[in-house]
Amino acid sequence: MAQHRQQDTSPGARITATGLGLRTRRGWVFRDVELDVAPGELVAVTGAAGSGRTSLLLAVTGRFAINRGSLSVAGHPLPRTAPAVQRLAALGLVHGAHEPEPALTVAEHVRERLALLGLGPWQPRRRRTHARELVTAAGFDLDPDALGRDLDPYRRQLLCLLLAELTGPRLIVVDDVDGGTDGVERAALWRVLRERADAGTTVLAACRETGDAPVDQTVRLRHRPAAVPAPAEAAAVAATPSVPAPAEAAVPAERDAAKPGAGAAPPDRPGGRSTPAVPEQGEPATDELDAQGAA
């Protein structure tokens, strides 16, 4: 009798990974990553610049190829079921994959995303009004008329998080939480992410150090790869069969004190350009990936 894969139907997405890694001809992007993330947890992914934090976030959302170990999100094994994971996962600010468009205002970002998703009123005037209402209702410190180019790092994060939430995702990933923000802004951003996790959404947030952030666990990437492919080149990376990686320094997932609380893949670029999908299994495999670019 055929066995049916059991899928996670909780509000947040469970994430499991064993020996997860990505190796290219230039070296390791990340390696030996172990994940056991319960639905509704806030998880920090820490490491120095170039340690593979951004690539790991994209891999977990089904937008970046892997070729070592195993990875499952909400019961969907990756990379084989990447389209299904893309539908349930959303990107906050992720450099090179999901960032504000310089020439669009905050409200225009929301309006354009609604149009691409087929959500909200169809009439242009009502859609513009609805977009401004959503910006105000979010409770973020965002001026609807501010241009993307004029947003500081903290408000860039808030805008991308607002866009991510438009689809009601079960998983949100956010990059560089501590990049360019001061202590007050950083604490405020962590509180926003904590609120999302407590509401049931699984949240992965990359940063250099967590400090006093209210996270449930921390995944530390200590390996510094030789080169990291640019996120925009993920589609050119052909997945290879998952095989055990050579034994080297493992990357443990360290659990901190737990905090209380509980269609088509949406486009990731605010201006309408979607992030490339990860190749399905069955495409020509290589012994190693051929990727170019720098972290």
Side-chain angles (χ1 to χ4, degrees):
M1 180 181 295
Q3 301 245 340
H4 296 281
R5 183 173 67 253
Q6 184 174 4
Q7 296 181 357
D8 177 12
T9 57
S10 57
R14 175 174 292 278
I15 305 170
T16 58
T18 302
L20 186 64
L22 170 60
R23 182 177 176 83
T24 75
R25 290 179 180 174
R26 296 187 176 193
W28 289 98
V29 178
F30 57 82
R31 65 181 306 173
D32 300 334
V33 178
E34 305 288 327
L35 296 174
D36 185 8
V37 180
E41 282 194 328
L42 171 57
V43 178
V45 178
T46 67
S51 59
R53 294 174 303 172
T54 302
S55 300
L56 178 60
L57 293 183
L58 292 173
V60 169
T61 59
R63 293 165 170 86
F64 211 92
I66 57 171
N67 61 357
R68 297 294 189 277
S70 63
L71 172 61
S72 175
V73 177
H76 301 285
L78 287 166
R80 182 164 57 86
T81 58
V85 175
Q86 291 171 15
R87 286 191 290 270
L88 64 86
L91 304 183
L93 179 67
V94 177
H95 295 295
H98 187 221
E99 302 180 73
E101 294 288 346
L104 295 182
T105 67
V106 168
E108 287 170 343
H109 277 87
V110 176
R111 186 188 69 195
E112 292 301 312
R113 182 61 60 85
L114 290 172
L116 289 168
L117 296 171
L119 300 175
W122 287 105
Q123 297 86 348
R125 180 176 297 179
R126 290 185 60 192
R127 191 184 294 278
R128 285 194 295 271
T129 301
H130 183 54
R132 296 181 70 89
E133 291 172 346
L134 287 176
V135 174
T136 302
F140 293 156
D141 183 14
L142 286 172
D143 177 2
D145 297 316
L147 290 171
R149 67 168 66 95
D150 297 328
L151 298 177
D152 59 26
Y154 172 62
R155 289 168 181 81
R156 286 167 58 86
Q157 290 276 9
L158 293 178
L159 173 56
C160 288
L161 185 59
L162 172 58
L163 296 174
E165 291 189 299
L166 291 178
T167 58
R170 298 172 62 190
L171 167 65
I172 294 176
V173 302
V174 181
D175 195 17
D176 205 19
V177 172
D178 51 359
T181 54
D182 60 30
V184 174
E185 293 171 337
R186 197 154 47 247
L189 184 55
W190 279 116
R191 283 196 299 271
V192 169
L193 298 177
R194 179 73 257 174
E195 290 170 359
R196 272 59 191 170
D198 288 344
T201 304
T202 304
V203 181
L204 266 62
C207 56
R208 292 177 180 82
E209 296 292 339
T210 57
D212 296 327
V215 300
D216 295 304
Q217 59 172 303
T218 300
V219 177
R220 308 185 191 279
L221 302 182
R222 294 190 176 92
H223 176 72
R224 188 178 181 86
V228 178
E233 296 170 349
V237 180
T240 67
S242 295
V243 297
E248 286 192 17
V251 182
E254 299 181 11
R255 187 173 295 273
D256 299 328
K259 303 294 178 182
D268 295 317
R269 295 285 293 176
R273 295 189 294 276
S274 60
T275 304
V278 174
E280 296 277 354
Q281 286 188 352
E283 294 186 3
T286 59
D287 291 334
E288 292 179 326
L289 305 183
D290 186 7
Q292 298 179 354

